[in-house]
Each structure stands twice: as structure tokens, then as C-alpha cells.
């Protein structure tokens, strides 16, 4: 497993097509975006990085009959130029999406390089309804309000639909936060692919398994979960993915019984052998561990502290109760 950095990203080309599902009057750009323009470049990069770092991203595998894969293969082989490829990809997506979406959606098609590999990306920027003022000049000057549907999503709005395809092995990562059923999603239909679990779902499953295994073997669940989170956090600082085998070997290194039980449960839950965790998002999600006692006390700690008795220590007593000792506290602040 190679050590990669998410920051190694080079944007080669981008184009914006307007898909108007309401009127059917879609507009396909005949020219790429000017990436020398700092505003345009900054907007495209922000949306691309944010979508790729989303924990909701899933792994996908193209079906044999996928029209989108056939299109991507032609582009990868140089049979299609970027504009021709982007237009056809947007049209293919529109045929599927127009049945389910009402408001216009801009399709941002990308060609970029990440960690030495070439990718094609598609981001669907859902248009927002907005209101603006307008001045009308007749016999009098009249200021009034106009409803508009042409506002692109800002930096704070999450992108619900996106896809990134490696043009070397045609592996897929896609984002779809509006699945219509447990068996299929809109982006699966757009791409013509199957779907695995998202990074977020895998993380929740690993946490649940760890808690169950710890409780079954009379270990401290909070301590075990913190070890899992801390290992994942440290690993994703230098690697884009982690294997469940490495995870179990690290977390349960002191007990072969716990390690075996964990790996068995991972297989039963069909957790993928290699888990992709976006660096930025996983660092944020794995930074702290929250615990609640049966006495009503709730505590939040940095996950790295759980492995260090210099800061926090759990003590199991013969009567089954647990004591938590917090150490090296210089100041306590009311929140």
C-alpha cells in the first residue's frame, strides 16, 4: 500500500454544462473554463476537494453494459477530446437525472491528476432558488423582487452528487446523498455501477464491532474504540487507506483471542478488506472520543490520550465498577 498525499492534485481541464430539467433547454459549453482566472480556479478546486473528502463517498464497480464506462474508455484512449467527452457524459447523466430532479443542475466535468494517476471527475452543482432586487423603468422608477434559479452552490453548501473515476483502472468513488432505495442510487444509474459501503458506514461498523467484541470479552469498550480511532487517525495522516488486517493486528496486539473475534465479526459484517478514509474528513471525525457513564457523566477526550496513562487512566475494580482518573490538568474552564 503506497504512501500518498491527498494534496498532490493537478487540475488539467474543467468545463461547465447547464442541465435544465424544467424546460429541457440544456446548454452545453463549447469552451473549457479559464483556469488562469483565480476566482474560477479557486471555486472549482474548492468544490472538487470538498467532494472528494466527503465521508459519504462510496466505492463502485462498473457493470459490463455501462455506457459511461465505454465513454471513459474512449476518452482514456484518446479517441475523444475533452470537450466531446464532457458533453456526452453530461448528456448521459441528464437522461437519468431529469426523471428525478426538478431544478436545473450544472455539471462540472474535470480532468485532473492526483498522486501520479489521471482521473475524470463529474460534480453536479444543484442550482439554488434565490431572490434578487431589480429596478424597472416605466413612467416611474420601481424597485421590485425577482425570483432566480441561477445561483451556484456556495462554499458552505454540500455537493450531493459527484463521481471520480481513475482513467488507469476505472475504479470509482462516487457521492450520492439522496439514495432512492437501499439497492440503488441516482449516481449508480448515471454511472452504470454497483456500490459498496461509504467510508462513514465502514467507520460506524468498525466502531460497533469493536464495542461488541470488547464487551463480550469483558474489556473496556471506550478504551478499545479509542485505540481503533487513534490508529485510523494516525494512519490516514500518511496513507489514503488502511486494511482491516493491519487494524486488528495493531489494536488487539496483546490478545490473539480478541484479534480473532474482531476479524471474524469483520467478515460477517462484510467490511471491505481495505478502507479508504479521506484525510481531512477522517482527521476531524477521529480526533475525539465521547463517552457517557451510567451515572450521567459525559466526557470528551482526544483519542490519542486514551493510549497514554499520563493523561487518562481507567481502573477496573473487583466489584465490576470502573474509575476514570484524569491527570496533568492545569486549568478547568466552565463551558
Amino acid at each position: 500500500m503506497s504512501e500518498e498525499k491527498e494534496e498532490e492534485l493537478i487540475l488539467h481541464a474543467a468545463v461547465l454544462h447547464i442541465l435544465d430539467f424544467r424546460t429541457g433547454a440544456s446548454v452545453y459549453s463549447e469552451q473549457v473554463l479559464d483556469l488562469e482566472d483565480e476566482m474560477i480556479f479557486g471555486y472549482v478546486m474548492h468544490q472538487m476537494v470538498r467532494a472528494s473528502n466527503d465521508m459519504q463517498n462510496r466505492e463502485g464497480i462498473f457493470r459490463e453494459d455501462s455506457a459511461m464506462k465505454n465513454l471513459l474508455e474512449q476518452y482514456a484512449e484518446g479517441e475523444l477530446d475533452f470537450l466531446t467527452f464532457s458533453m456526452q457524459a453530461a448528456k448521459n447523466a441528464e437522461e437519468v437525472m431529469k426523471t428525478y430532479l426538478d431544478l436545473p443542475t450544472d455539471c462540472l466535468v474535470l480532468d485532473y491528476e492526483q498522486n501520479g494517476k489521471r482521473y475524470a471527475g463529474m460534480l453536479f452543482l444543484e442550482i439554488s432558488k434565490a431572490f434578487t432586487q431589480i429596478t424597472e423603468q416605466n413612467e416611474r422608477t420601481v424597485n421590485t423582487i425577482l425570483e432566480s434559479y441561477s445561483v451556484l452552490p456556495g462554499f458552505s453548501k454540500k455537493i450531493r452528487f459527484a463521481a471520480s473515476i481513475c482513467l488507469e483502472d476505472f475504479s470509482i468513488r462516487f457521492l450520492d446523498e439522496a439514495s432512492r432505495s437501499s439497492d440503488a442510487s441516482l449516481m449508480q444509474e448515471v454511472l452504470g455501477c454497483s456500490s459498496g459501503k461509504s467510508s462513514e458506514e465502514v467507520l460506524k461498523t468498525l466502531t460497533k464491532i469493536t464495542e461488541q467484541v470488547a464487551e463480550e470479552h469483558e474489556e473496556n469498550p471506550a478504551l478499545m474504540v479509542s485505540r481503533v480511532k487513534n490508529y485510523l487517525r494516525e494512519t490516514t495522516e500518511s496513507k489514503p487507506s488502511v486494511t482491516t488486517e493491519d487494524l486488528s493486528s495493531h489494536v488487539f496486539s496483546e490478545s490473539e483471542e480478541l484479534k480473532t473475534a474482531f476479524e471474524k465479526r469483520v467478515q460477517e459484517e462484510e467490511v471491505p478488506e481495505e478502507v479508504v478514509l479521506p484525510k481531512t474528513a477522517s482527521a476531524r471525525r477521529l480526533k475525539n472520543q465521547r463517552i457517557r457513564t451510567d451515572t450521567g457523566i459525559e466526557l470528551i477526550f482526544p483519542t490519542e490520550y486514551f493510549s497514554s496513562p499520563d493523561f487518562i487512566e481507567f481502573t477496573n475494580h473487583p466489584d465490576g465498577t470502573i474509575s476514570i482518573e484524569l491527570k496533568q490538568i492545569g486549568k478547568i474552564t466552565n463551558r
Side-chain angles (χ1 to χ4, degrees):
M1 192 165 53
S2 62
E3 293 197 3
E4 301 178 335
K5 295 182 180 180
E6 291 182 341
E7 289 79 3
E8 296 174 356
L9 189 150
I10 303 170
L11 181 58
H12 293 300
V15 64
L16 190 67
H17 299 302
I18 302 172
L19 311 182
D20 194 336
F21 305 125
R22 293 183 304 155
T23 66
S26 296
V27 182
Y28 298 94
S29 179
E30 297 177 349
Q31 184 171 316
V32 297
L33 290 170
D34 180 10
L35 298 179
E36 295 297 319
D37 186 303
E38 289 187 16
M39 181 276 293
I40 294 175
F41 179 80
Y43 182 84
V44 173
M45 284 292 291
H46 176 90
Q47 299 294 15
M48 179 170 61
V49 171
R50 187 174 187 192
S52 65
N53 283 335
D54 198 306
M55 293 283 284
Q56 296 278 343
N57 272 295
R58 300 172 179 272
E59 302 288 322
I61 300 175
F62 280 116
R63 299 193 304 264
E64 289 298 323
D65 62 348
S66 170
M68 190 66 76
K69 182 183 180 183
N70 181 57
L71 193 62
L72 285 157
E73 287 174 334
Q74 293 180 60
Y75 179 55
E77 292 296 324
E79 297 175 18
L80 299 175
D81 61 31
F82 178 66
L83 274 177
T84 303
F85 156 71
S86 70
M87 287 183 189
Q88 191 56 57
K91 288 178 181 179
N92 287 1
E94 182 182 11
E95 283 301 308
V96 175
M97 301 180 84
K98 67 182 182 182
T99 308
Y100 307 102
L101 300 180
D102 296 321
L103 294 181
T105 296
D106 285 3
C107 179
L108 185 61
V109 184
L110 313 167
D111 183 308
Y112 64 97
E113 185 179 331
Q114 187 170 22
N115 306 312
K117 293 183 179 181
R118 188 179 170 209
Y119 290 85
M122 297 181 73
L123 276 65
F124 296 93
L125 310 176
E126 295 177 89
I127 298 301
S128 300
K129 181 190 291 187
F131 299 88
T132 185
Q133 83 279 9
I134 184 172
T135 300
E136 297 177 347
Q137 291 282 1
N138 295 313
E139 295 180 0
R140 303 180 181 182
T141 298
V142 179
N143 294 326
T144 186
I145 299 172
L146 180 68
E147 188 176 59
S148 171
Y149 289 93
S150 59
V151 180
L152 287 170
F155 288 166
S156 62
K157 185 174 181 179
K158 292 186 68 174
I159 292 176
R160 296 197 301 160
F161 306 104
S164 175
I165 302 96
C166 177
L167 295 177
E168 296 179 12
D169 59 12
F170 297 98
S171 56
I172 308 168
R173 293 194 77 221
F174 72 90
L175 183 62
D176 188 336
E177 294 190 9
S179 298
R180 299 192 314 282
S181 72
S182 58
D183 300 320
S185 72
L186 181 56
M187 286 305 297
Q188 280 180 253
E189 293 187 37
V190 168
L191 297 169
C193 71
S194 61
S195 172
K197 294 181 178 179
S198 68
S199 301
E200 185 174 50
E201 289 173 328
V202 171
L203 183 57
K204 287 181 179 178
T205 302
L206 289 174
T207 301
K208 181 187 72 174
I209 291 173
T210 303
E211 290 175 341
Q212 292 173 343
V213 170
E215 289 173 353
E216 289 169 3
H217 293 80
E218 298 183 346
E219 294 290 338
N220 188 329
L223 186 58
M224 291 293 103
V225 169
S226 70
R227 287 180 182 174
V228 168
K229 288 186 174 182
N230 198 43
Y231 175 75
L232 293 175
R233 182 185 60 80
E234 291 179 343
T235 303
T236 53
E237 288 180 356
S238 59
K239 299 178 181 180
S241 61
V242 59
T243 65
T244 50
E245 182 180 359
D246 287 344
L247 175 62
S248 64
S249 296
H250 177 86
V251 175
F252 304 107
S253 58
E254 299 174 359
S255 173
E256 188 65 30
E257 184 180 3
L258 285 172
K259 181 176 179 292
T260 301
F262 178 83
E263 292 176 348
K264 180 181 178 182
R265 193 65 61 83
V266 162
Q267 288 184 339
E268 292 173 350
E269 294 283 347
E270 298 182 343
V271 177
E273 293 181 5
E274 190 167 20
V275 181
V276 176
L277 293 172
K279 180 178 177 180
T280 304
S282 59
R284 185 173 60 251
R285 293 290 297 274
L286 301 169
K287 181 180 179 181
N288 295 318
Q289 169 77 356
R290 182 191 299 266
I291 62 173
R292 180 188 292 273
T293 70
D294 57 3
T295 56
I297 298 174
E298 188 172 293
L299 303 172
I300 301 175
F301 304 98
T303 53
E304 58 189 295
Y305 283 10
F306 279 86
S307 60
S308 174
D310 293 335
F311 295 100
I312 182 171
E313 189 169 9
F314 293 84
T315 303
N316 295 312
H317 300 293
D319 62 359
T321 60
I322 303 171
S323 293
I324 304 174
E325 184 179 359
L326 307 181
K327 304 176 181 180
Q328 297 194 36
I329 298 174
K331 183 179 180 182
I332 296 177
T333 306
N334 259 329
R335 298 296 296 271

